[in-house]
Amino acid sequence: MSKPAVMRRMPQIAHVDVNCFYASAERAFDPSLEGKPVIVLSNNDGCAVTRSPEAKALGIAMGEPWFKLAPRAKEWGLVALSSNYELYGDISARVMELLGRYSAWLEVYSIDEAFLGVKGEPKQLLDLGRSMKAAVRRHVGVPVCVGIAPTKTLAKLCNKWAKNNPAFGGVCHWESVPAPVREALLERLSVEEVWGIAGRLTRRLNGMGIFTILDLVRADPVMIRDRFSIVMMRTVLELQGTPCIPMEEERIGRDQLIFSRSFAKPITTAAGIRQVMSVYGQQASARLAKHGLQAKVLTAFAGTSHFNPKDTSYPSVCIPLPMPTADPVLLTKAAHALLPRIVEGVRYARAGIMVTDLRPTGNQAPLSLFENPHEERHIGSLLEDVARRYGRGSIGLGHGGIRGGPDWTMKRDMLSPRYTTHWDELPLVKAA
């Protein structure tokens, strides 16, 4: 078999990314939003984190505070929505499940993008990309773009071309683009457009005379390694067509898990913080159980707002656990060690817990004297199963299960229905 024939059969990488994911997920269930400028706001309806193309055309910047946009929203016809995380998570799961049918080699990179290992001739790969794009649009209702190339970095770049250049029709295959056209596109794009290169790296590269992606492609990888790092060298090699970033089965932070959120309304009592700690302790337990992990250290913390100079309090406590555990009772009790440090009457704007020193479940069997009956009964995984089936507010232990407690949950005044995860918010279809 000739070398060119072998190279044609080498695996390629497809990068699939949902366009304006949050806004697209909203439009999937509310077609009246099509063609309108739509933004989705961050936690507590703070600032714009997703903008539809129409909203971008109005000059709305990423991170623009809602209180600045609100006075002109009616004039612009701007639709603002609170973050509907339940809906977005379910839509994401449907997209990834569908993509998994096209390849056994799937890496879910984030909530709205994934890498797939694919094989075939250029025409077959283009047809595959178009098939995936059409299937996601038809069966899930959200638009995606597809980039296919020999490396992850080039696949991300192809996806960007597919998204921003109508000539590609939403699907771009690196080797199907003539070499002169590829070179012209690379020469027009700033090096900042490369996956993993941010402002500080861009300035350093500019100082070396590397301004465009084409400049970086032509750079000596060894020189880049000596001036920057092995990671940067891999980026250059990937741009040159040499795969250096492997596919990962699952992207899970193995060093720590953090559960923290700003409150819609400040909490001023230890009782309120107790409920927060109880909920986060049980969420940590469920997440650890889901990934087969146990924690040896728990850190609990709270804090007042940086914009509140009158009250300043930032209590924290670090608790070494008696043994590696994912037990919700032990984690919740450990988190409650923060309560004696809470000052009554102070307006706490944020609290959270962090579990560290994570290790696989069963890696170290406890002595019979220290065995935990709750963990033996898999209480953590049971809580996660019930919450996944009936909703996050359906079950909780102790103070974490109290309904009608302190109003510390996230502010979402413009929340759309959670169409696919809450029975009482399911869409209704009526015959004419």
Side-chain angles (χ1 to χ4, degrees):
M1 186 179 291
S2 65
K3 185 176 180 181
V6 173
M7 292 303 291
R8 281 197 298 271
R9 288 174 173 80
M10 288 294 287
Q12 300 269 301
I13 295 176
H15 177 251
V16 184
D17 183 30
V18 182
N19 304 341
C20 301
F21 177 56
Y22 289 0
S24 295
E26 298 285 356
R27 285 173 166 173
F29 286 91
D30 187 356
S32 69
L33 297 176
E34 292 286 352
K36 295 181 179 179
V38 177
I39 60 171
V40 177
L41 303 174
S42 62
N43 292 349
N44 296 317
D45 295 340
C47 58
V49 292
T50 292
R51 303 156 297 154
S52 69
E54 297 83 1
K56 293 176 184 177
L58 290 173
I60 297 174
M62 178 68 80
E64 189 81 12
W66 169 238
F67 74 86
K68 290 185 177 181
L69 299 172
R72 301 193 64 184
K74 186 174 182 180
E75 172 191 344
W76 290 336
L78 179 64
V79 179
L81 298 166
S82 301
S83 293
N84 191 339
Y85 296 118
E86 297 90 338
L87 176 65
Y88 309 151
D90 186 65
I91 293 295
S92 173
R94 294 172 187 232
V95 171
M96 301 310 166
E97 189 276 332
L98 183 57
L99 293 177
R101 303 178 191 179
Y102 290 86
S103 174
W105 192 17
L106 173 70
E107 176 190 332
V108 179
Y109 185 72
S110 69
I111 192 172
D112 63 343
E113 58 182 320
F115 292 102
L116 295 87
V118 293
K119 287 184 179 181
E121 303 293 334
K123 183 179 184 307
Q124 293 173 322
L125 292 173
L126 277 173
D127 289 342
L128 178 66
R130 293 174 183 135
S131 177
M132 288 191 290
K133 181 177 183 294
V136 174
R137 183 62 165 173
R138 178 180 180 183
H139 297 294
V140 185
V142 295
V144 302
C145 284
V146 183
I148 305 174
T151 70
K152 279 186 172 181
T153 304
L154 286 177
K156 290 270 286 187
L157 191 59
C158 284
N159 192 300
K160 187 168 293 188
W161 288 350
K163 190 172 295 186
N164 296 323
N165 191 330
F168 289 110
V171 179
C172 175
H173 176 228
W174 175 259
E175 293 171 359
S176 296
V177 180
V181 177
R182 293 201 307 250
E183 190 168 302
L185 288 170
L186 292 172
E187 193 171 19
R188 288 207 302 263
L189 291 174
S190 166
V191 72
E192 194 172 10
E193 299 292 327
V194 176
W195 180 34
I197 296 181
R200 185 176 179 182
L201 274 177
T202 299
R203 290 190 292 272
R204 290 183 61 189
L205 289 167
N206 292 167
M208 297 170 56
I210 298 175
F211 294 93
T212 69
I213 298 179
L214 186 61
D215 294 334
L216 189 58
V217 170
R218 292 172 173 171
D220 178 11
V222 176
M223 180 271 292
I224 292 293
R225 181 198 63 192
D226 294 340
R227 296 284 189 92
F228 295 88
S229 66
I230 189 69
V231 174
M232 192 66 182
M233 176 184 178
R234 290 183 188 134
T235 297
V236 175
L237 289 172
E238 288 249 323
L239 287 172
Q240 294 175 351
T242 302
C244 297
I245 305 175
M247 296 284 282
E248 301 177 18
E249 291 185 1
E250 191 172 13
R251 297 178 55 82
I252 304 171
R254 296 288 182 178
D255 298 326
Q256 64 184 22
L257 289 174
I258 300 176
F259 297 83
S260 176
R261 184 173 292 163
S262 297
F263 306 138
K265 295 181 180 178
I267 294 177
T268 59
T269 65
I273 296 295
R274 179 189 295 275
Q275 186 180 18
V276 176
M277 293 292 105
S278 299
V279 171
Y280 287 161
Q282 290 163 53
Q283 288 181 356
S285 169
R287 185 74 60 81
L288 289 169
K290 177 181 178 181
H291 296 303
L293 296 173
Q294 295 177 320
K296 190 66 174 64
V297 178
L298 182 144
T299 301
F301 55 89
T304 52
S305 170
H306 295 291
F307 302 101
N308 179 12
K310 180 180 178 181
D311 293 329
T312 55
S313 178
Y314 302 95
S316 65
V317 61
C318 182
I319 306 296
L321 301 167
M323 58 186 174
T325 183
D327 173 38
V329 176
L330 289 180
L331 294 176
T332 300
K333 285 182 178 179
H336 286 174
L338 178 70
L339 299 179
R341 307 190 180 197
I342 297 298
V343 181
E344 293 284 340
V346 169
R347 294 167 58 85
Y348 290 98
R350 188 180 186 87
I353 68 169
M354 175 173 64
V355 288
T356 53
D357 193 2
L358 308 185
R359 54 194 73 182
T361 299
N363 195 40
Q364 178 181 346
L367 297 174
S368 58
L369 180 64
F370 298 102
E371 286 181 351
N372 192 331
H374 306 107
E375 204 145 27
E376 290 296 322
R377 295 171 184 169
H378 307 290
I379 299 298
S381 56
L382 174 64
L383 290 173
E384 175 67 11
D385 291 343
V386 173
R388 188 186 303 113
R389 183 170 182 180
Y390 297 104
R392 287 294 165 191
S394 60
I395 191 170
L397 299 178
H399 290 267
I402 294 177
R403 290 183 178 273
D407 186 13
W408 57 273
T409 53
M410 183 168 54
K411 176 183 177 183
R412 294 192 288 182
D413 291 341
M414 294 168 279
L415 182 67
S416 59
R418 293 159 292 187
Y419 299 100
T420 62
T421 58
H422 286 62
W423 285 109
D424 56 346
E425 297 178 28
L426 290 176
L428 299 179
V429 178
K430 298 180 179 180

